[in-house]
Amino acid sequence: MRLYLIRHGQTEMNASHTIDTDYPGANLTERGREQAVGIVERLAGETVDAIWVSSLIRTHQTAAPLAANRGLVPVQREGLREIEAGIWEGGNDEAAYRGYLSTIERWFTDSMDEPMGGTITGRQALMRFDAVVREIESTEASNVAIFSHGSMLSWWCGMRVAGLTWKHYIDGHLDNTGMCVAEGSLDTGYRALSWMGETV
């Protein structure tokens, strides 16, 4: 199976540098909507059999142009949502961002069971995303676009996609509508074909 793992477009909260992980989340900005339209062109030569989105509104809005172009109805799953920020929700200063991001850094090294700001652990976030990927693998689709979130995608890809490491999260965090393309399965392992448009 080939997965196109795509971060949502820019939101109002991204633009104000504010941590936003709660439901339903912020809407896309005008720039975010333009980025979403751009995905159609970027995937013009690729087969997409299905589209899956998280429960947060920004993934629905980002997926909408591609869904309309391909005549597909996105499938929503809670397991694709962003990692909940807990005590750092709504923060827009360096301390809040450092608290959120440094927790994920520790997950990558030796603290996967540490709660994020008093909420979900790294292991729990990984398992719920795994559950959705396994559900996708059980369908007849071979090429699937998954619209999710920057930290969630970086965490899952860093743990489940060969060729990527935690340094991709630190040094090459997915920009809005940034994409990781991977092939394989959970049982045999996924391998990265590209990250942010660069061959891995």
Side-chain angles (χ1 to χ4, degrees):
M1 172 171 282
R2 175 172 289 196
L3 300 179
Y4 299 95
L5 298 141
I6 307 165
R7 186 188 176 195
H8 60 80
Q10 185 192 65
T11 70
E12 298 157 357
M13 300 300 260
N14 292 153
S16 64
H17 198 63
T18 302
I19 297 174
D20 172 37
T21 67
D22 282 347
Y23 177 85
N27 290 299
L28 297 186
T29 61
E30 182 176 348
R31 173 167 174 73
R33 291 190 290 271
E34 291 171 353
Q35 292 170 331
V37 171
I39 294 171
V40 176
E41 183 176 347
R42 285 163 56 196
L43 293 178
E46 306 293 333
T47 299
V48 177
D49 305 314
I51 297 172
W52 291 59
V53 297
S54 82
S55 55
L56 303 184
I57 193 169
R58 53 190 177 270
T59 61
H60 291 252
Q61 293 173 340
T62 307
L66 181 65
N69 178 263
R70 302 300 177 96
L72 297 171
V73 177
V75 178
Q76 175 184 302
R77 288 295 181 270
E78 179 73 11
L80 301 178
R81 64 162 297 150
E82 182 60 291
I83 298 165
E84 296 93 317
I87 61 172
W88 294 296
E89 182 69 20
N92 61 2
D93 59 13
E94 184 60 29
Y97 270 88
R98 195 67 237 148
Y100 185 78
L101 300 178
S102 65
T103 301
I104 299 175
E105 289 181 41
R106 291 192 295 275
W107 286 353
F108 274 117
T109 52
D110 61 1
S111 302
M112 194 186 297
D113 292 310
E114 176 184 349
M116 168 63 79
T119 63
I120 194 168
T121 68
R123 190 182 306 277
Q124 290 169 332
L126 198 63
M127 289 176 64
R128 74 182 183 189
F129 201 98
D130 280 348
V132 180
V133 172
R134 198 165 290 282
E135 182 182 359
I136 292 170
E137 291 177 352
S138 73
T139 70
E140 296 181 355
S142 299
N143 302 274
V144 178
I146 296 177
F147 288 82
S148 185
H149 305 266
S151 292
M152 186 66 251
L153 288 173
S154 295
W155 171 231
W156 188 82
C157 290
M159 295 299 292
R160 293 290 189 251
V161 181
L164 302 175
T165 70
W166 70 276
K167 288 184 181 275
H168 284 85
Y169 174 76
I170 302 303
D171 300 328
H173 190 66
L174 284 171
D175 294 334
N176 291 119
T177 62
M179 185 186 312
C180 172
V181 182
E183 281 189 347
S185 71
L186 283 172
D187 289 337
T188 63
Y190 280 94
R191 62 184 178 86
L193 301 181
S194 67
W195 177 269
M196 288 289 293
E198 304 241 344
T199 301
V200 175

